[in-house]
Amino acid sequence: MRWNSIRFRITALATAVVAVVLVVAGLSLVLVQRAVLTDSLDTALIQRAEDIVGLLESSPAPDELSQGATEAFAQLVGEDGNVVVSTPNLANDPPLRIPVDPQEGTTIQTLEGLEVDDDHFRVLSRVISGVGVLHVGTTYDVVTESTAVLTSSLAVVVPIVVAMLAILVWWLVGRTLRPVEAIRTEVASIGSTDLHRRVPGSGSGDEIDRLAGTMNAMLERVETSVTRQQRFVADASHELRNPLTRIRAALELERRDAGDPKVIDDLLEEVVDLQHMVEDMLYMARADAGANKPVLRRVDLDDVLLREARSVHSRVDVAMDMSRVSAAQVYGDPSQLGRAIRNLVTNAERHARSRVQVSLFEDDGSAVLVIADDGPGVPSEQVQFVFERFTRLDEARSADAGGTGLGLAIAREIAEVHAGTLNLISNGSPGATFEMRIPLAD
């Protein structure tokens, strides 16, 4: 459960609000019940006092007052401080020590510790002119016990109601937000090669359905933009390939027949580099469109490595050490694997001072290709950019032109479509070391 989720926050807020409301309502109910029961008790005491006063005014006056309820009592204290008459449960008892203000006339109060009992009593005291003070009381337990039962019941019921409400709100909010989670999951799974996918909508026209419609409209705009961009790159690459091919052929023919060989060689090198860049751009455009699916078959990776390494080795001042190349067979596309190896070897040779070390061995179910140069290496602050497209770090590594900036990005793309990896495992002096791992064939 995520504590910062909307579902949790709504549930917590709703539960807290309802809990506060129920607690306040419960306390109010207890207070109202106490007040109602107390008023009822006071009314009964007033009526009882009226009845006793009527009896006292009758002739002859009674020698004893009726007790009524078991825990009720009545006592008339004369002006001289002696008991005039009382109920049987106070017979022979001294006068009750209850403070009375003669100016009040009638006083009702709750007392504890009377000689009658240790319980709480509700006592009415009435001053009768010329006679004395009449005390009429009854137990207050009916009020305290009733409110205690109500309080105990609420203490059990309120937490149960709050817990049930929390469960209900959690379920309702989860059910309400389920379409939002479905939209989020679908959007999270949409990659650059499947922008045609859309998020599900309920068709109800509510806020969530409108959100789904907005997301689909955005995905459609992104798909249109990416498709237009990919089409532009592909079209530009196709359009450039033909004239470059013709220019290259013409330059090669001119070099063979006549002209300044050095100038023609320089121009031819520029055209070849430009042709390679166009081919790299076309490959990346096809990769973005998901069109570079490898045709897998058993490939002797050592044969591909030796062939490509020898074909791109052009610097006479750089030694190519391939003594550590051993046999390794993988499932892959020979042309794509050859392209990746060619890019890695070309990159190493371009930046090497005097030596390039090429190794191939098997390790933990993978064919491991390691290509290391003894050049200046990659600055630590630029390591994260090595495999990004059109990245050139040659100002720090070399003084020459330094390729198109797509070679390492293409090599990693090829490794990944073959379920492998390509990483820079060593950088800095001496040189940089790249490691490519491809799963071995069964």
Side-chain angles (χ1 to χ4, degrees):
M1 179 174 61
R2 298 179 60 183
W3 302 107
N4 61 341
S5 66
I6 293 177
R7 185 181 189 183
F8 175 79
R9 284 182 289 176
I10 292 177
T11 303
L13 180 61
T15 303
V17 170
V18 173
V20 170
V21 171
L22 289 178
V23 170
V24 172
L27 290 175
S28 301
L29 182 60
V30 170
L31 294 176
V32 169
Q33 185 190 38
R34 181 187 295 271
V36 169
L37 292 176
T38 302
D39 288 344
S40 177
L41 209 59
D42 292 348
T43 301
L45 290 175
I46 292 172
Q47 184 61 46
R48 169 83 166 147
E50 294 289 344
D51 293 341
I52 293 175
V53 170
L55 289 173
L56 293 175
E57 292 176 350
S58 64
S59 181
D63 296 332
E64 186 179 73
L65 300 177
S66 62
Q67 184 171 339
T70 304
E71 297 182 353
F73 66 87
Q75 186 184 69
L76 177 61
V77 181
E79 292 181 340
D80 58 357
N82 295 318
V83 176
V84 177
V85 64
S86 67
T87 52
N89 57 348
L90 292 183
N92 302 320
D93 284 356
L96 294 173
R97 294 189 297 273
I98 299 176
V100 178
D101 186 356
Q103 305 299 324
E104 289 291 332
T106 300
T107 304
I108 301 178
Q109 52 192 322
T110 303
L111 300 174
E112 181 185 8
L114 296 178
E115 291 80 353
V116 183
D117 203 326
D118 293 335
D119 293 339
H120 286 78
F121 285 87
R122 189 73 172 169
V123 181
L124 179 148
S125 301
R126 174 174 292 184
V127 177
I128 302 175
S129 179
V131 177
V133 179
L134 174 64
H135 301 294
V136 179
T138 186
T139 180
Y140 199 64
D141 289 347
V142 64
V143 177
T144 56
E145 290 175 359
S146 179
T147 53
V149 169
L150 179 60
T151 302
S152 301
S153 300
L154 290 175
V156 174
V157 171
V158 169
I160 294 176
V161 171
V162 171
M164 292 179 63
L165 176 71
I167 295 172
L168 179 61
V169 173
W170 179 267
W171 178 77
L172 288 175
V173 174
R175 183 179 178 86
T176 302
L177 294 179
R178 192 175 302 159
V180 177
E181 180 62 20
I183 292 173
R184 188 202 65 80
T185 303
E186 184 68 16
V187 172
S189 65
I190 295 176
S192 60
T193 60
D194 48 4
L195 292 173
H196 61 280
R197 291 166 55 184
R198 296 294 181 264
V199 300
S202 62
S204 60
D206 57 11
E207 290 82 354
I208 296 178
D209 186 59
R210 293 199 297 272
L211 173 63
T214 302
M215 293 297 298
N216 286 332
M218 182 194 68
L219 287 172
E220 186 173 353
R221 292 194 299 270
V222 172
E223 181 186 14
T224 301
S225 175
V226 171
T227 302
R228 187 183 300 115
Q229 181 183 17
Q230 291 173 349
R231 185 181 300 116
F232 169 77
V233 174
D235 292 344
S237 300
H238 277 296
E239 292 297 326
L240 287 171
R241 288 176 74 185
N242 291 335
L244 286 173
T245 301
R246 290 194 296 269
I247 293 172
R248 180 178 180 179
L251 288 172
E252 290 176 344
L253 182 63
E254 182 68 17
R255 182 179 62 176
R256 187 185 64 185
D257 294 343
D260 187 345
K262 185 178 184 308
V263 174
I264 294 177
D265 286 344
D266 291 341
L267 290 175
L268 184 59
E269 184 177 351
E270 292 291 337
V271 171
V272 170
D273 290 341
L274 184 58
Q275 190 176 29
H276 288 165
M277 182 181 69
V278 171
E279 290 175 353
D280 289 344
M281 290 175 60
L282 179 59
Y283 181 89
M284 296 306 294
R286 288 175 175 170
D288 290 340
N292 288 337
K293 301 297 183 183
V295 180
L296 302 180
R297 63 182 180 85
R298 286 183 178 271
V299 177
D300 292 322
L301 193 59
D302 53 312
D303 292 342
V304 177
L305 171 61
L306 294 173
R307 182 178 65 250
E308 295 296 338
R310 290 167 181 154
S311 67
V312 300
H313 181 40
S314 58
R315 287 181 56 185
V316 296
D317 58 334
V318 173
M320 186 76 67
D321 184 357
M322 293 184 288
S323 60
R324 301 180 183 177
V325 175
S326 59
Q329 195 173 70
V330 299
Y331 274 116
D333 188 315
S335 62
Q336 291 194 19
L337 292 173
R339 188 188 192 104
I341 293 172
R342 184 165 60 250
N343 290 351
L344 291 172
V345 174
T346 301
N347 176 77
E349 188 182 57
R350 180 183 295 117
H351 301 111
R353 290 191 177 96
S354 61
R355 184 171 180 270
V356 173
Q357 174 72 55
V358 180
S359 305
L360 177 64
F361 55 91
E362 296 181 358
D363 177 59
D364 194 22
S366 297
V368 183
L369 169 64
V370 179
I371 299 179
D373 64 73
D374 62 349
V378 180
S380 57
E381 67 275 7
Q382 295 181 328
V383 169
Q384 57 181 325
F385 305 113
V386 166
F387 295 101
E388 291 187 2
R389 300 178 184 184
F390 296 107
T391 296
R392 293 185 179 90
L393 308 178
D394 297 274
E395 292 180 0
R397 298 192 68 198
S398 176
D400 57 24
T404 65
L406 289 173
L408 294 178
I410 290 175
R412 171 170 275 190
E413 171 74 21
I414 292 173
E416 290 177 350
V417 298
H418 284 79
T421 59
L422 174 61
N423 294 295
L424 175 63
I425 61 173
S426 174
N427 60 283
S429 182
T433 302
F434 291 88
E435 179 188 84
M436 183 170 70
R437 288 178 172 265
I438 305 293
L440 291 168
D442 296 334

